[in-house]
Amino acid sequence: GENIVVVGTGAVDHNSFVEQVSMAFGDLQKQSNLPRNNSEKCIFTPSLMFMRDDEMYNASVGVFFDAPGVNHEDYYSFELLKRVIGDWNINMAGNLNDQAKQYNANHTMLGDLIDVTKQSCHYKAYSDCGLWGSYLFGNEIFVRQMNYVGLHVPVTYGEYMTEVEIVRARNTYWNELMKEKFGAEANIEIGTQMIMSGRRVPRSEIASRISWADRDNMRQLCYQWF
């Protein structure tokens, strides 16, 4: 019972909501006498795995790094960094006058790889650990280059990063915070925050936490973690 969070959003009558929750979960025990499985902290070890199929035209590549959990002081900086890297698909290349002039180091490199179809940056953060990195998909001829992009851009940011990339990513994050959420989305967000952090994190706090970030802060972050 102590691991369950029930969230209601919208025009909810509080007393009626509490009554319904009590009817549904009132008999549930607060704690269990059974041992809790999977309570150990994850330990990620460096590894490299190749699997080749000569009949497979396309390849999937994942390049991921050890990253902080949601309660770490660097959590929102990593969320901002995810938006610095951004996502890519092959259709974007046709809309670029010159990929070398983009304010995104990741897109600049991918624009030269004509058969890399997709790239997406992911941050999977949990209460005590996390994984951050990119998934790439494209013609198997470009496997080496896709691995290189996934490694090269975050590591390079540890030495050099432009302010314009931070501003672009910060504006993207701010716009996302301003968008209205459906009830189900809001419930999932609030419930996850309550379970992992024990509190609701308001949008204003998230906006404040990313507002101070500049290229020096983010460069130091990348240098430390990558």
Side-chain angles (χ1 to χ4, degrees), residues 154-183:
V155 173
T156 300
Y157 280 152
E159 296 292 338
Y160 176 76
M161 179 179 282
T162 63
E163 189 72 34
V164 69
E165 291 199 70
I166 304 301
V167 172
R168 171 182 52 77
R170 197 165 52 207
N171 290 342
T172 299
Y173 206 163
W174 281 337
N175 286 330
E176 291 175 7
L177 292 173
M178 292 299 293
K179 291 180 179 178
E180 293 187 13
K181 291 183 173 64
F182 293 107

Side-chain angles (χ1 to χ4, degrees), residues 77-144:
S77 295
F78 263 81
E79 284 283 6
L80 181 62
L81 186 61
K82 182 179 78 171
R83 290 158 176 82
V84 171
I85 294 292
D87 297 339
W88 165 269
N89 65 72
I90 193 65
N91 295 327
M92 296 172 64
N95 298 323
L96 301 179
N97 294 326
D98 186 349
Q99 62 266 13
K101 297 180 180 179
Q102 300 311 301
Y103 298 123
N104 186 319
N106 193 54
H107 290 183
T108 297
M109 295 190 68
L110 290 170
D112 288 327
L113 306 178
I114 58 175
D115 277 335
V116 176
T117 308
K118 178 181 176 65
Q119 173 270 330
S120 55
C121 189
H122 298 274
Y123 182 23
K124 304 298 183 182
Y126 307 95
S127 59
D128 59 351
C129 61
L131 279 174
W132 183 96
S134 287
Y135 163 79
L136 302 101
F137 175 84
N139 191 287
E140 59 95 14
I141 295 175
F142 287 91
V143 164
R144 289 180 180 271

Side-chain angles (χ1 to χ4, degrees), residues 11-224:
V12 177
D13 180 79
H14 179 74
N15 293 330
S16 175
F17 182 61
V18 171
E19 182 179 346
Q20 293 179 56
V21 173
S22 298
M23 290 177 59
F25 301 103
D27 296 332
L28 193 66
Q29 291 183 341
K30 182 178 180 181
Q31 294 179 329
S32 171
N33 296 324
L34 298 175
R36 185 175 180 180
N37 296 326
N38 305 317
S39 59
E40 306 86 357
K41 181 178 180 179
C42 296
I43 300 176
F44 302 111
T45 56
S47 60
L48 184 64
M49 181 180 71
F50 286 101
M51 180 177 66
R52 174 157 186 162
D53 181 350
D54 288 336
E55 295 182 355
M56 182 176 67
Y57 296 107
N58 293 308
S60 297
V61 173
V63 182
F64 287 85
F65 298 85
D66 189 16
V70 296
N71 298 310
H72 194 281
E73 61 182 4
D74 290 335
Y75 169 70
Y76 287 106
S77 295
F78 263 81
E79 284 283 6
L80 181 62
L81 186 61
K82 182 179 78 171
R83 290 158 176 82
V84 171
I85 294 292
D87 297 339
W88 165 269
N89 65 72
I90 193 65
N91 295 327
M92 296 172 64
N95 298 323
L96 301 179
N97 294 326
D98 186 349
Q99 62 266 13
K101 297 180 180 179
Q102 300 311 301
Y103 298 123
N104 186 319
N106 193 54
H107 290 183
T108 297
M109 295 190 68
L110 290 170
D112 288 327
L113 306 178
I114 58 175
D115 277 335
V116 176
T117 308
K118 178 181 176 65
Q119 173 270 330
S120 55
C121 189
H122 298 274
Y123 182 23
K124 304 298 183 182
Y126 307 95
S127 59
D128 59 351
C129 61
L131 279 174
W132 183 96
S134 287
Y135 163 79
L136 302 101
F137 175 84
N139 191 287
E140 59 95 14
I141 295 175
F142 287 91
V143 164
R144 289 180 180 271
Q145 288 91 331
M146 287 190 285
N147 274 288
Y148 180 73
V149 171
L151 284 169
H152 174 76
V153 176
V155 173
T156 300
Y157 280 152
E159 296 292 338
Y160 176 76
M161 179 179 282
T162 63
E163 189 72 34
V164 69
E165 291 199 70
I166 304 301
V167 172
R168 171 182 52 77
R170 197 165 52 207
N171 290 342
T172 299
Y173 206 163
W174 281 337
N175 286 330
E176 291 175 7
L177 292 173
M178 292 299 293
K179 291 180 179 178
E180 293 187 13
K181 291 183 173 64
F182 293 107
E185 293 177 320
N187 287 350
I188 292 173
E189 179 184 272
I190 296 171
T192 301
Q193 290 175 348
M194 293 299 298
I195 290 175
M196 291 190 176
S197 301
R199 68 186 183 95
R200 170 73 165 122
V201 183
R203 292 183 300 176
S204 57
E205 179 181 339
I206 299 174
S208 297
R209 287 180 176 272
I210 64 174
S211 295
W212 61 269
D214 59 23
R215 66 176 183 177
D216 291 330
N217 301 127
M218 299 302 290
R219 181 182 57 78
Q220 292 171 12
L221 181 86
C222 294
Y223 185 85
Q224 174 187 348

